[in-house]
Amino acid sequence: MAKAKTFSCSACGASFNKWSGRCDACGEWNTIVEEAPLSAGPAAKSLGAMRGAAIQLTDLATQETPPPRTNSGMEELDRVLGGGLVPASAILVGGDPGIGKSTLLLQAAARFAQAGLKTVYISGEEASAQVRMRAQRLGLTDAPVQLGAETNLRDILTTLDAEKPQLAIIDSIQTMWADNVESAPGSVAQVRAAAHELTTFAKRKGMSVVLVGHVTKEGQIAGPRVVEHMVDTVLYFEGERGHQFRILRAVKNRFGPADEIGVFEMTGEGLAQVTNPSALFLSERGEPTPGSVVFAGVEGTRPVLVEFQALVAPTPQANPRRTVVGWDSARLAMILAVLEARCGIPFTGLDVYLNVAGGLKISEPAADLAVAAALLSAREDVALPADTVLFGEISLSGALRPVGQTENRLKEAQKLGFTTAIAPSGGKQGGAGGMTLRQFGDLTAFVGEIFGAG
Ligand code: TYD
Ligand code: MG
């Protein structure tokens, strides 16, 4: 009997029984690959027909003391982890190749080892000598980290079982190879099996494990999303290759708030922490320029000021360009539609470019008002005063909706020398400190007052 072929998506791990060009589950193109069929065991019997071992049940009142966490001393990392490393936790660190994952984790390994955790760093990509050279360059050679260069998962687990570290770093999960799975390293089946083995081993032995995962665009290697659901914490390391800023973002965390970010700067001596990201993100701002506005945002528990830059230019094209870096393009389309429908300001025949300076990705709806202001400022060629920040959500009706953490935003803006904030009416009043708060109920009122149009 011919075995049915199976296919899975290397981006999200979804399984299918036929090939297609686009994954129905996550929408990625060219990520569906054929999987070696799982070896069929003895004729499958209903599980209920066989007797298993009884599991122990407990009631909800069972007292568990919160786990003792270990701080690395890198505050930007500890905060993103939810306040340090939890014992026996599984963490995924995903990111583009070359973004700095190995650098970050070698530095973290050194700090955790110095903080007293027995730490093992397994590299499947580089020889030990290469990792040692990097450690030397980063000034970490004194840290008591144990190094291994291996891809055979069986040998790695045997070693971990003997050494009993409290923290193991696996760089990367895509290079790991489980010899009981008939599939090439990097395939969905291998990555899934290796991640499963490592996370269950970690839980059983009380060891924390960090899996490094490369984000890939092609379907040949499985992406980190395949293992996201197996781990407690998912962190993504983001940034533009040409820029020096790097953002470590928690997208899932069983032990802390998601959406928390840590900000780093890539230097000649590795990653340096950025404790005042607002100052850094605004450091390249010069004279007030049309199209440039400052958004008072919040990332996780921390206020962050960032600059939105817009460029609006006439085009003979029937379909003008809408190019966005660092923000959601669907959200941009919505803001453009609201400006046209509610304020009578069309962008037909105009190319629109929108950019978040510094390589940060913003996902807060609170940025709507700043985006609208950047677009109008660029279109009308009118610069906003340099001492002004904006925040507020825009609804389809053109109303401005209050957003959370107003006080936090105002405080941060004041700290950085801003004097005026433009915000939605309602929401929290007062608490503005020395800031002048200019509030508007809808976009039309804002446009009329600030740009004298609408
Ligand atoms: P790396 O950590 O190897 O990236 P990843 O593991 O995500 O693939 O970092 C690679 C880049 O970082 C490389 O292009 C060089 C740069 N880098 C520095 O700028 N400074 C440093 O101190 C180090 C170690 C790397
Ligand atoms: Mg690497």
Side-chain angles (χ1 to χ4, degrees), residues 96-104 126 134 137-138 171 214 266-270:
D96 289 326
I99 203 70
K101 300 181 296 298
S102 301
T103 308
L104 175 72
E126 293 162 305
R134 175 176 301 179
R137 183 167 154 195
L138 299 173
D171 186 3
H214 291 297
M266 184 59 98
T267 72
E269 289 84 47

Side-chain angles (χ1 to χ4, degrees), residues 7 17 61 77 79 84 169 187 233 252 294 312 323 336 377 407 417:
F7 298 86
N17 54 20
L77 172 64
R79 192 184 50 253
I169 291 166
S187 64
T233 301
K252 159 182 166 179
V294 177
V312 173
T323 304
L336 291 171
S377 163
E407 227 164 295

Side-chain angles (χ1 to χ4, degrees), residues 206-218:
M207 171 190 89
S208 297
V209 63
V210 177
L211 309 177
V212 175
H214 291 297
V215 172
T216 57
K217 287 277 170 272
E218 315 77 43

Side-chain angles (χ1 to χ4, degrees), residues 58-67:
T58 59
D59 57 32
L60 291 174
T62 308
Q63 285 290 317
E64 292 276 358
T65 43

Side-chain angles (χ1 to χ4, degrees), residues 4-84:
K5 285 183 176 178
T6 59
F7 298 86
S8 51
C9 172
S10 58
C12 70
S15 301
F16 301 97
N17 54 20
K18 65 177 178 32
W19 188 88
S20 68
R22 184 166 187 256
C23 172
D24 284 341
C26 69
E28 290 287 335
W29 287 93
N30 300 321
T31 54
I32 307 289
V33 289
E34 188 178 338
E35 285 283 323
L38 293 176
S39 47
K45 236 191 222 168
S46 155
L47 272 183
M50 291 181 283
R51 218 180 148 73
I55 56 171
Q56 180 158 20
L57 305 174
T58 59
D59 57 32
L60 291 174
T62 308
Q63 285 290 317
E64 292 276 358
T65 43
R69 293 179 181 247
T70 307
N71 281 308
S72 65
M74 285 166 96
E75 272 174 47
E76 296 298 301
L77 172 64
D78 293 334
R79 192 184 50 253
V80 173
L81 288 172

Side-chain angles (χ1 to χ4, degrees), residues 67-69 81 84-92 112 117 166-168 198-199 201-211 230-233 253-255:
R69 293 179 181 247
L81 288 172
L85 182 71
V86 173
S89 60
I91 297 160
L92 170 71
F112 279 121
L117 291 188
Q166 289 157 293
L167 170 63
L198 283 161
T199 51
F201 177 91
K203 297 284 160 198
R204 211 170 54 234
K205 304 284 180 177
M207 171 190 89
S208 297
V209 63
V210 177
L211 309 177
M230 291 184 215
V231 295
D232 303 304
T233 301
N253 196 352
R254 283 194 188 131
F255 306 117

